[in-house]
Amino acid sequence: MLIAYLDESYTRDYYYIAAVVIDAEHEDRLREAIVRAAGIAEAFGLPRDVELHAHEMTAGKGAWSPLRGRHRAVATIYRRALELLIEVPVEVFVRGLDVARLHARYRYPRRPHEVVLQHILEELSDHAVARGTWLTVVADELPDQAALHALVHRFRDIGTPGYASSTLTGIELPLSFRASRGTPGIQAADLIAYLYHRLDGHPEGDARARRSAERLWAAIEPAVVHVWVWRP
């Protein structure tokens, strides 16, 4: 059995979902990796149980405010967290969408989250089938969970939209939604979704920040199985 932890990162123009996939037998190792990364943050004066939330980390907000402006310290913690994930081991999947181009192409476009969720669930289902197993999905809590449950069950009943329709036979339903605070796998997915968003969705950004993001991505890249962004 595989477990996929999902989290998203988005702006008005881009939407990404990352999945961190592990064998169920490695769940304790994943938890330990996140606990150890938080322990490194403790050495910089943060609470031992601080949540690894990428936006707060890089912006110096919330619990991460003591490290506001200390970019090297944050990058050290971020990179070590990614290195620890490699050791679990994990498999990483990322799907994205150019929302601006979606709206420019279609008069009545689907919601970006629905589109990207469909795409990553199709990929995860195929991966589970290829491995000869099932995959259970754990996602960050969202306000429209009931609608998403209904959407995914509709996919199972009649197939996903598009030329390569799938009934997601490799995924065990229903999806599970949990708070990121108490779910290390979702925190791991958050780190990766945010990082890839910085790389793909901000190509015109500060050169120094981009080099930092590229170095962080290099730390997790050995675990990356699939990355694809739809640009309609």
Side-chain angles (χ1 to χ4, degrees):
M1 170 69 78
L2 301 175
I3 305 174
Y5 293 96
L6 272 59
D7 203 4
E8 65 281 335
S9 179
Y10 58 90
T11 57
R12 181 182 62 183
D13 292 334
Y14 295 94
Y15 205 109
Y16 304 86
I17 296 179
V20 171
V21 178
I22 60 168
D23 286 306
E25 65 186 34
H26 293 154
E27 194 164 15
D28 287 344
R29 295 179 64 181
L30 176 61
R31 179 175 295 277
E32 177 62 21
I34 297 300
V35 169
R36 288 175 63 188
I40 297 169
E42 183 184 24
F44 289 94
L46 275 68
R48 183 170 182 79
D49 63 346
V50 66
E51 180 179 352
L52 299 185
H53 188 284
H55 176 68
E56 291 189 354
M57 291 170 69
T58 57
K61 294 183 176 181
W64 290 85
S65 59
L67 293 187
R68 183 180 296 118
R70 298 181 62 185
H71 304 299
R72 184 172 297 180
V74 171
T76 296
I77 299 165
Y78 208 132
R79 183 179 63 253
R80 188 57 184 143
L82 298 175
E83 292 169 346
L84 288 166
L85 290 176
I86 291 286
E87 296 174 9
V88 171
V90 302
E91 295 176 305
V92 170
F93 297 74
V94 180
R95 282 281 188 152
L97 171 65
D98 187 322
V99 178
R101 290 183 56 153
L102 177 77
H103 288 166
R105 178 171 176 178
Y106 295 100
R107 185 174 182 181
Y108 300 108
R110 294 168 59 202
R111 293 171 56 209
H113 186 208
E114 291 183 7
V115 173
V116 183
L117 180 64
Q118 173 196 325
H119 290 171
I120 201 161
L121 290 181
E122 288 172 337
E123 191 65 35
L124 293 173
S125 177
D126 289 347
H127 182 67
V129 170
R131 291 272 301 268
T133 187
W134 288 82
L135 181 146
T136 184
V137 175
V138 180
D140 195 11
E141 288 183 326
L142 294 167
D144 57 349
Q145 291 169 197
L148 291 174
H149 277 304
L151 176 71
V152 174
H153 279 284
R154 189 161 67 250
F155 291 162
R156 175 61 55 83
D157 291 339
I158 64 174
T160 57
Y163 69 92
S165 182
S166 169
T167 54
L168 307 178
T169 56
I171 293 178
E172 186 176 53
L173 299 183
L175 306 186
S176 176
F177 292 91
R178 300 181 192 169
S180 60
R181 174 72 180 173
T183 313
I186 293 176
Q187 294 180 43
D190 173 82
L191 293 176
I192 294 166
Y194 181 87
L195 178 58
Y196 192 77
H197 187 173
R198 296 299 304 175
L199 286 171
D200 186 74
H202 299 274
E204 73 293 342
D206 176 78
R208 184 170 57 181
R210 181 167 185 82
R211 286 194 298 271
S212 177
E214 288 172 346
R215 287 193 292 269
L216 290 173
W217 186 255
I220 196 63
E221 195 164 22
V224 175
V225 176
H226 176 85
V227 175
W228 188 73
V229 179
W230 184 34
R231 309 182 197 278

